[in-house]
Amino acid sequence: SAATGLLLFRFLPLFAVLTVLVGYQLLSGWRVIYTQAQGPALQDAVWTALTATGAWLLTPILLARHQGDPTVLWSTLSALCCILLYDSLRWLFPARWHARLWRYEHLYKMIASIFAMLSALAGNVLRDWQPWSQILPSVIGIVLILGFGWQQARQGYLAKP
């Protein structure tokens, strides 16, 4: 719905980057379930390259047109860059790592996507409380990611091949 709104109604550069970030996180978090132990496939490389190109094209527009507190702008760009960097570097991981890391990658990407959408909603609805209305859902999401990751580690998923 965000992509449709950006195309048909009003183009907001920050929402465009958020849409790219959330869409890519959802797609790559879903894809890791299918690739699991074998690691990323050619399709994953294509999605990463397309997303990186979109981010590269949107960044100058975002920087030129952004108004207001830069906290959300820089945190969104940083999150997008970090996930693209991770997804690019995982091609270099030893094969055995993929069997151990896929659950954590899936947890992170799916929970982060949900809370990124909540941050965008809260920032848009609770404008008087920005940037905190956008930061708080992200903090809650990070706490959940850490909690579920810790639970997975306690169950021994880091040690299992």
Side-chain angles (χ1 to χ4, degrees):
S1 65
T4 303
L6 290 168
L7 292 173
L8 298 179
F9 300 106
R10 184 171 153 210
F11 181 79
L12 298 169
L14 179 60
F15 274 22
V17 174
L18 281 168
T19 302
V20 170
L21 171 62
V22 171
Y24 180 72
Q25 279 182 157
L26 280 169
L27 177 67
S28 61
W30 171 73
R31 284 279 310 144
V32 77
I33 290 174
Y34 293 98
T35 59
Q36 291 185 11
Q38 69 261 24
L42 179 60
Q43 181 179 347
D44 301 304
V46 170
W47 284 114
T48 301
L50 287 172
T51 303
T53 302
W56 182 73
L57 293 171
L58 279 173
T59 298
I61 298 167
L62 178 62
L63 294 174
R65 296 173 79 189
H66 183 71
Q67 298 171 350
D69 194 318
T71 306
V72 175
L73 165 72
W74 289 112
S75 61
T76 303
L77 285 174
S78 298
L80 183 56
C81 288
C82 285
I83 198 162
L84 287 169
L85 179 63
Y86 171 82
D87 281 357
S88 298
L89 289 176
R90 69 185 173 147
W91 287 86
L92 304 174
F93 293 175
R96 68 184 185 282
W97 286 18
H98 297 292
R100 293 184 179 128
L101 293 177
W102 76 267
R103 283 180 178 87
Y104 298 94
E105 184 177 339
H106 177 70
L107 275 170
Y108 170 78
K109 289 177 178 178
M110 300 311 278
I111 294 171
S113 296
I114 292 167
F115 281 89
M117 288 186 278
L118 286 173
S119 290
L121 172 69
N124 206 23
V125 173
L126 306 171
R127 291 177 187 239
D128 291 340
W129 296 331
Q130 286 184 2
W132 302 110
S133 60
Q134 291 168 300
I135 294 171
L136 185 60
S138 296
V139 169
I140 294 168
I142 289 169
V143 169
L144 281 175
I145 290 166
L146 292 173
F148 282 119
W150 181 71
Q151 177 190 31
Q152 292 293 303
R154 285 196 54 197
Q155 292 175 357
Y157 286 116
L158 269 182
K160 291 181 184 177

